[in-house]
Amino acid sequence: MVGAVQEGIIVRELNRFEAIGYDRAVVTKPPQQPCAEESKWYEEEIDDDLKLCYRLNSVLHRGASKYQEIALIDTKHFGKALIIDGKMQSAEVDEFIYHESLVHPPLLFHPNPKTVFIMGGGEGSTAREVLRHNTVQRVVMCDIDEEVVEFCRTYLSANWAVLRQRQALPRHQRRQVCIWSCQMPCHSPLSLLMLLLTRRNMKCRAELEKSRDKFDVIVGDLADPVEGGPCYQLYTKSFYEHVVKPKLTDRGIFAGPAGVLTHREVFSSIYNTLRHVFKYVKAYTAHVPSFADTWGWVMASDHPFNLSAQQINARIKERVDGELVYLSGESLISSTTLNKSVYKSLQNETHVYTEDDARFIHGHGRALCA
């Protein structure tokens, strides 16, 4: 997820502090007899002179993989929240806004999406929303970090329960769901490329070039492009041009997120980079309260996005299992009208995101272990 949420997690209690591995992160040990005024907070640094605080019930789990720091916190206002490298990834109270906006627009604009590839998505929520579409026959999800996937299987079990239910359906109703990480056998072109970028495995490049797999929709649910982090190379022109686009079917659509508060840092650059690769690029926004930001998403295709609100509503009714909580045809169409400041930034952007000329959001991730 790309956007305004930034580095730094701090959980404060009275008197005693214990470092937990984040660059600006400490967790305090509770006193033997906590007083009524005891206070715990998750503090996220947006910029050098801006921080946001969330009151906590508890820190449920924290740890580190070889790629990134992982934590699950229980906030008083937004419920359980997943934190990676000190950045809020999603909160249970409003994650439906982010995931419905990320997944359903590209699948609804596609005439008949049958195959979907998810880059990242270790939390499981993106796959959950994809599987609500009755046209989808095959879903492939690849996260670069096996430990994040296993962490989310354990601590965000509701999402994975949906996937297990799908696999328990009668065979004629069952859909293929593949979930891979870097340490699992894989033959998908995009998962192989992610292996290549994170582990520099040249054999993967050869397999990638031979692969004929294509997908109707590719969804990028990736970590922020932070300097030293694991995913910034997956926002580059070369990646979109030489990997993503060739792996889309004729009317295929790519979709990914970016925070609008930081649009001058990365959102406008990602938008402009996609315009150099695809004929049609559509940006749209929604406010996600737990992110303290108006969030943005981008769809890209070589075919126009020209459905009306009524047509979108009809496709929701025909294709989507259950009722969407946030998205409707009317709200989706209105979300494509950007405010003047963001619109001008996107239209005037000249930067193209490359490996040698990348933009990063404030903060930094952990260096990769090759």
Side-chain angles (χ1 to χ4, degrees), residues 213-226:
D213 288 357
K214 292 200 173 191
F215 298 88
D216 296 318
V217 175
I218 296 174
V219 178
D221 188 11
L222 300 167
D224 303 287
V226 290

Side-chain angles (χ1 to χ4, degrees), residues 127-332:
R128 178 199 70 206
E129 293 301 318
V130 168
L131 287 168
R132 296 179 68 181
H133 284 253
N134 56 35
T135 63
V136 173
Q137 299 174 359
R138 181 172 181 243
V139 180
V140 177
M141 188 193 92
C142 177
D143 196 289
I144 66 171
D145 195 333
E146 183 179 22
E147 292 182 51
V148 168
V149 174
E150 291 306 312
F151 176 92
C152 293
R153 282 184 193 269
T154 302
Y155 295 98
L156 300 175
S157 56
N159 292 334
W160 299 93
V162 172
L163 303 184
R164 288 193 293 271
Q165 291 168 7
R166 295 294 184 182
Q167 293 305 91
L169 291 171
R171 185 170 297 276
H172 70 282
Q173 298 178 17
R174 198 176 302 170
R175 287 171 277 180
Q176 183 181 2
V177 181
C178 302
I179 299 172
W180 293 328
S181 70
C182 278
Q183 300 186 22
M184 299 179 184
C186 54
H187 303 286
S188 162
L190 288 170
S191 60
L192 288 173
L193 181 83
M194 295 175 84
L195 276 168
L196 171 66
L197 292 176
T198 58
R199 303 178 75 153
R200 296 172 174 84
N201 187 336
M202 295 309 294
K203 183 178 178 181
C204 291
R205 181 185 293 275
E207 291 296 320
L208 175 66
E209 292 172 351
K210 290 189 296 184
S211 175
R212 296 181 179 178
D213 288 357
K214 292 200 173 191
F215 298 88
D216 296 318
V217 175
I218 296 174
V219 178
D221 188 11
L222 300 167
D224 303 287
V226 290
E227 193 166 9
C231 287
Y232 82 91
Q233 294 167 344
L234 303 181
Y235 294 97
T236 61
K237 181 176 182 288
S238 62
F239 179 68
Y240 295 140
E241 186 172 29
H242 299 302
V243 180
V244 171
K245 189 172 183 178
K247 303 310 174 186
L248 287 169
T249 55
D250 177 55
R251 298 186 67 88
I253 298 174
F254 169 77
V260 174
L261 183 59
T262 54
H263 64 270
R264 290 184 179 87
E265 293 178 4
V266 293
F267 188 26
S268 60
S269 177
I270 293 169
Y271 176 85
N272 186 57
T273 302
L274 285 167
R275 287 200 300 179
H276 280 72
V277 178
F278 294 91
K279 292 181 181 178
Y280 299 94
V281 180
K282 179 71 72 175
Y284 55 102
T285 63
H287 182 67
V288 182
S290 63
F291 292 174
D293 190 5
T294 296
W295 217 251
W297 297 264
V298 180
M299 292 187 293
S301 177
D302 281 342
H303 294 268
F305 303 101
N306 54 9
L307 294 179
S308 66
Q310 292 73 24
Q311 289 172 312
I312 294 171
N313 283 331
R315 287 189 174 182
I316 291 173
K317 185 176 181 180
E318 293 167 3
R319 299 180 182 181
V320 180
D321 296 336
E323 184 177 357
L324 296 182
V325 180
Y326 178 78
L327 202 68
S328 68
E330 291 78 9
S331 66
L332 176 53

